[in-house]
Amino acid sequence: MIEDALRGLFVALLGLGGGLAVGSGLVSLLIILDLIPRLAQLGGAYHKSVWFETAVIAGALFWTFADFMDWQLELAGPVALPLAGLFDGLFVGMLAAALTEVMNVLPILAKRISLSRHIAALVWAMVLGKTAGSLFDWLYYHW
């Protein structure tokens, strides 16, 4: 009986520690990359950046509870799946773009391979390649 209680306490502390580590890492990444303020600046809505921050926190809390409570969404697959994929892709794309911008990858790459005049074409090639690869993976391997 006591061993089961100690085991449960250990698992709870381990889960809490893992969640704190992952959450802290995500928050650190968002702060270091200035993702939310940059998104607000690009959207011309810097005065509404509190809404962006609140949306990120609310989304994290909602999906944490959904995972812990095993909530099930009964939505039509052909409607819900592409919408969820779109939002996931937008988030990952913005995170990758923010990381690329912070590290100044594109200017360095363009300078090294002498494509400074064609930086827009380089960006479009990356966007279209990522989109085509994601669609191929999603439509071919997952269906």
Side-chain angles (χ1 to χ4, degrees):
M1 189 76 156
I2 292 177
E3 291 177 7
D4 289 338
L6 287 176
R7 185 174 296 140
L9 180 64
F10 175 72
V11 169
L13 289 175
L14 187 66
L16 180 65
L20 285 173
V22 170
S24 299
L26 177 65
V27 168
S28 306
L29 189 64
L30 291 176
I31 289 172
I32 289 170
L33 294 179
D34 268 349
L35 186 64
I36 295 171
R38 183 74 174 131
L39 183 62
Q41 179 186 14
L42 288 174
Y46 198 74
H47 60 284
K48 294 182 181 178
S49 63
V50 173
W51 287 99
F52 291 111
E53 295 164 356
T54 304
V56 169
I57 292 169
L61 286 174
F62 176 82
W63 290 110
T64 298
F65 283 118
D67 186 39
F68 280 140
M69 310 273 187
D70 286 328
W71 291 348
Q72 300 291 322
L73 293 175
E74 299 296 330
L75 298 175
V79 174
L81 197 57
L83 190 62
L86 176 69
F87 285 125
D88 286 346
L90 285 171
F91 178 75
V92 169
M94 285 190 297
L95 195 60
L99 184 59
T100 302
E101 184 177 329
V102 166
M103 295 177 61
N104 290 327
V105 169
L106 293 181
I108 293 171
L109 179 66
K111 189 175 186 179
R112 296 234 174 160
I113 60 175
S114 301
L115 286 178
S116 297
R117 294 180 314 204
H118 307 290
I119 191 111
L122 179 63
V123 170
W124 274 108
M126 292 171 62
V127 167
L128 294 174
K130 175 69 176 160
T131 303
S134 296
L135 286 174
F136 178 75
D137 178 59
W138 185 46
L139 295 174
Y140 183 74
Y141 286 114
H142 293 162
W143 283 42

